[in-house]
Amino acid sequence: MQDLAELVGDPVRLARWAEPMLELLASSAAPDEALNHLVRYFEGAAGPLNFLAFLESNPPAAEVLVQLLGGSPFLSQLLLRNPEYFYWLIEENRLEPRLSEDHYLTESERCLAFSEEPTAALNALRRMRRRETLRIGAQDLLQRSGMDETVLQISLLAESTLQAVFRLLSGDRPLGFAVLAMGKLGGRELNFSSDIDLIYLYEDESERERMLRFAKEFTRALTEFTREGRLYRVDLRLRPMGGSGEIAYSLPAARHYYQTWADTGDRLALLKCRSAAGDLELGNRFLKSIESFLYPRYLDRFAIEEIRWMKQRSDARLKRSQPESIDIKLGGGGIREIEFFVQSFQLLYAGRHRRLRAQRTLDALRELVRLDFIRQEEGRQLADSYRFLRNLEHKLQLVHDLQTHALPGGEEELRKCARRMGFASLPEFESTLADHRQSVSGFYRSLFSESSDDQPPQQAILRPGIDPEEAVRRLGEAGAFQPSALYEGIRLLADAKAFPHSPARLRNLLANLIPELTRLSPLADDPRAWLSRLDRFFEASGSRVALLSEMVENGDFARRLLTVLASGDFLSETLIRNPELLDSIGRPPEKGRPRRRLESLLEFTSADRFPEALRLFKRREDFKAAVGLLF
């Protein structure tokens, strides 16, 4: 206060404002920090006495300033570095949410018009992003916007920035290059201090070198740190092959990866994927082409087990790295458990219910209620907990602009956090947080039971580290014939080489086929020999994953194929030696007499190939006749 009096130069004038000022300071999250920052702000003011007069005559402006200076060291530094931002902030209703894309696109365009020189334009974008972050952060701290509006504004700001940087670097020429937004940016749920997860695609494989150079230049422009700061941290690890893959992929290469190698982790990453910048039509075309992978027609129940494994591994890592702290994102009852809860329903049912393909978590929750997957009260509780935890996440990140999700350890810092959240006391905050975490954990456990006895066979038999005796017991309880032999056969299929497909993809498909294998096992005299024939047929056909996919999606086809292979050596060996006969299993018997079909075949067969054609015809007709007796 003495320092402030010396800066103002009129202690009596300051004393008259002392009482309302102290009330404002006391209402902030950290009164001492607020006062220290206020002194520094007065130091940077052109006329401290005039600034004091301005605050005296404008109590709402004084409240905004003190709440920011005492609520967020990060936002305080923005104001101290650029004191003029305060006047910009309180003018023209800038503390009202801007929920239209047009606002951010207009601001970005102004930055590009600032200079034709790329470095100057990028610095203008960095300043714009700094101002907008201050505006959105002030709304959040002052509770002028809710969580939904906050994450949308942060995301729209990031999107417009991506589009502006793309235009700056590519010019007016069409490039055939798409920027896909993943994760929270894809769902327009971005945090204050989030990385932005991106994937780069390009159209023309012949342009590979040029496209890779552009991808690196685009990433550098976003991430380069200058005197004006940087735009964003960029994470490209969700691309095909993760960190070991190329920085950008051609459309055919990306399609090939997701059709042959991708696994459940890739599906989870793509649930929020959206075309965000560059060639939007190219990005949308790619997303359309992988719909069958992302949203299969069958109920992929084994994906739920894989999500459970992911969470268990994450919990173990978190326990090693942060044994004492509470992580509101990754820890028990945290944000990740709500997201996994929602995404599990999407993986299971979005292939049949397009409305479940919502990219925002809260939108997807509403659809789960509308489709009667969860009760209205359950949806409301999960939505409330999600908003509370995301709001708390923002308050943690507004302290020092760090990507943190851990509650502070000391009581004083926890008390500041509680005040930022609007709680009058620390116990009230801790009690509310505990209630939300307990509620979320209950919903999560209801879907991801930790007990293997509560899991259906397909979610237990191929679980890593499962005791073979337990697996055999589970198959027996599910009604399998000779469960020990059946388990040996299933392990034979699971251990087969998956190349050129992902082993995880193969395991996933096989796990989803286990209920059908269990149900049909009484057809075979020896279930292990039965599944050995299936393995040999996969090898002969050269399309193991494609056939497994068809069997999982088409129960009638699976039943017919497995019945043929269970019938004995004659039909099985004939099919294995002649995989093309599979058509005779999958489609209805042809009408007409065999003689007519033979005459039609020989009409187009040369004399030297007549004997072989006749043998092939006889083998096919014998096979079809035998199959006809089975069905």
Side-chain angles (χ1 to χ4, degrees), residues 268 307 311 336-344 444 448:
L268 280 174
I307 291 176
K311 184 63 167 59
R336 182 59 55 84
E337 289 190 355
I338 300 175
E339 292 173 339
F340 276 170
F341 181 90
V342 172
Q343 290 167 352
S344 297
Y444 182 80
F448 297 91

Side-chain angles (χ1 to χ4, degrees), residues 302 452-463 466-494 510-522 527-528 530-531:
F302 191 67
S452 61
D453 287 335
D454 296 333
Q455 300 163 22
Q458 68 268 32
Q459 289 179 238
I461 302 305
L462 296 182
R463 176 161 48 88
I466 188 173
D467 182 356
E469 292 185 4
E470 180 190 347
V472 171
R473 176 180 64 80
R474 294 300 309 280
L475 286 171
E477 291 173 351
F481 173 69
Q482 296 186 28
S484 179
L486 180 63
Y487 178 65
E488 290 181 25
I490 291 172
R491 291 306 321 175
L492 175 71
L493 292 172
L510 178 58
N512 280 286
L513 190 62
I514 286 176
E516 190 72 359
L517 297 178
T518 302
R519 188 177 69 82
L520 296 178
S521 60
R528 190 189 188 288
W530 175 47
L531 296 188

Side-chain angles (χ1 to χ4, degrees), residues 410-428:
E411 183 176 331
E412 182 58 32
E413 290 302 316
L414 268 177
R415 184 172 286 106
K416 293 176 186 177
C417 182
R419 289 165 69 90
R420 291 185 186 101
M421 288 288 290
F423 286 89
S425 69
L426 179 57
E428 183 186 359

Side-chain angles (χ1 to χ4, degrees), residues 207-218 247:
E207 292 279 308
R208 175 178 175 274
E209 293 303 322
R210 188 165 77 95
M211 295 296 102
L212 294 183
R213 284 196 301 272
F214 180 83
K216 292 176 182 177
E217 184 183 7
F218 182 75
I247 192 172

Side-chain angles (χ1 to χ4, degrees), residues 20-32 34 66-67 419:
M21 180 181 65
L22 290 173
E23 289 178 359
L24 286 176
L25 290 169
S27 68
S28 68
D32 289 342
V66 172
Q67 291 298 328
R419 289 165 69 90

Side-chain angles (χ1 to χ4, degrees), residues 488-497 506 510 513 517 531-532 534-536 538 544 548:
E488 290 181 25
I490 291 172
R491 291 306 321 175
L492 175 71
L493 292 172
D495 294 338
K497 291 182 180 179
L506 177 66
L510 178 58
L513 190 62
L517 297 178
L531 296 188
S532 176
L534 180 60
D535 180 62
R536 289 172 56 208
F538 286 154
R544 182 180 295 267
L548 270 172

